Amino acid sequence: MASRSHRSSSSGRRRTALVSAAVAAVVALVAALIVAFGPDHETDVADSAAATAVAGTRGTPTPTTQEPKPATASPSASARTSSPKATASTASPQPSKAPVSQPARKASASASLAGRIEPGVSYEGVATFYDVGNGDGACLYGPTSDVMTAAMNHTDYETSRACGAYIRVQAGSGASVTVRITNECPLPCALGQLDLSPQAFAKLAAPVQGRIPITWSLLSTSTSDTVSIRYKTGSSRYWCGVQAIGHRNPVARLEVETASGWKELPRTEYNYFLSEQGSGCGGAIRITDIYGERLEVDGIGVKPDVVQPTRVQFAQH
């Protein structure tokens, strides 16, 4: 009996223990469910995700902070060297821009070539006349039998840029005359003023008037003449002055060919282009008119004060 009752109490204890364990498991499960589905769980998850994200961000900067280091070492010098490359690469897309920007460049280039006296523009001023003597003047073309000439006022003469230009002059009466600029009318000759030969003035008004209002404009004439080249007195292969004569349109620039390429010569007020170091003296010559047309001549030797004709002429406009 004693052994039977021992078995009964032992099994009872086991049942109690099992029940207690089951209750505890249920309680733990309920607690877990409450925690799992409770409102604070999302915050915990978000916090943990944020922590993970922050940790990931902190881990990433290591290569990020290391990447600038090579750039700040020696590449700072190469960066300066490469900055022109950046400019060049920025400029390389310009081919797509070129068709748009080139016309503007051409327009500005033609304007700069023309100087003060531009084609297609009518200018106002006054006409006077003077004794032209043998026809020579500041342009140093030499004596001429052509009586339809004029002296351009100092401002529009513009360091001899007006030399050789053909000008159509019109008076208020409607009378007109075409003259060639061979001289400069010095100050106080007014802006827009033309000092004509007596014969040219007489085409516009009676000489007794002495001074009349006019309008004038640049003219590209028809001519059968060709351009001639003349070297200034004293020219040699060590120093030379070069002049173009008989050009239909005003000359904008004159260049000589040197060992390093074409060299533009500076212009003087007496209408010669100077090579003071002798560069290109006796070599090929290239002249450009105000419309941008270039004429190239070769075989012109250094023969001081000799007019040497060519076979070229600018186009009529």
Side-chain angles (χ1 to χ4, degrees), residues 101-189:
S101 60
Q102 273 182 351
R105 287 177 188 170
K106 287 182 180 177
S108 63
S110 62
S112 64
L113 286 175
R116 291 186 56 83
I117 304 174
E118 298 182 27
V121 178
S122 181
Y123 298 89
E124 295 182 352
V126 296
T128 53
F129 64 91
Y130 76 108
D131 182 7
V132 297
N134 63 5
D136 198 5
C139 295
L140 293 189
Y141 287 132
T144 178
S145 58
D146 180 11
V147 295
M148 293 300 149
T149 60
M152 180 64 71
N153 69 83
H154 171 76
T155 305
D156 292 325
Y157 182 77
E158 197 179 5
T159 317
S160 79
R161 289 178 73 100
C163 285
Y166 287 91
I167 302 294
R168 183 177 184 273
V169 189
Q170 187 168 14
S173 63
S176 64
V177 63
T178 297
V179 296
R180 185 170 64 101
I181 303 301
T182 60
N183 206 351
E184 175 188 3
C185 184
L187 296 172
C189 210

Side-chain angles (χ1 to χ4, degrees), residues 123-129 169-177 190-216:
Y123 298 89
E124 295 182 352
V126 296
T128 53
F129 64 91
V169 189
Q170 187 168 14
S173 63
S176 64
V177 63
L191 176 66
Q193 183 174 348
L194 292 175
D195 210 12
L196 307 176
S197 68
Q199 295 88 340
F201 188 92
K203 296 280 186 180
L204 301 176
V208 293
Q209 295 191 40
R211 184 185 183 94
I212 59 170
I214 57 167
T215 57
W216 55 272

Side-chain angles (χ1 to χ4, degrees), residues 5 45 61 78 89 103 111 118 125 130 149 185-186 246 254 266 282:
S5 71
V45 172
S78 65
S89 63
E118 298 182 27
Y130 76 108
T149 60
C185 184
L254 187 146

Side-chain angles (χ1 to χ4, degrees), residues 247-312:
H247 40 86
R248 172 184 277 126
N249 308 317
V251 172
R253 66 166 66 102
L254 187 146
E255 302 164 278
V256 292
E257 190 173 26
T258 68
S260 57
W262 290 101
K263 177 182 179 181
E264 183 177 355
L265 300 184
R267 189 172 203 157
T268 66
E269 291 194 355
Y270 50 87
N271 195 34
Y272 273 89
F273 297 82
L274 294 187
S275 177
E276 296 190 275
Q277 306 302 321
S279 298
C281 294
I285 297 171
R286 187 165 68 184
I287 54 177
T288 306
D289 70 1
I290 62 171
Y291 298 96
E293 183 181 0
R294 292 187 298 202
L295 303 178
E296 215 172 290
V297 293
D298 202 356
I300 303 294
V302 182
K303 301 176 181 178
D305 204 25
V306 175
V307 176
Q308 302 184 64
T310 71
R311 296 180 179 180
V312 295

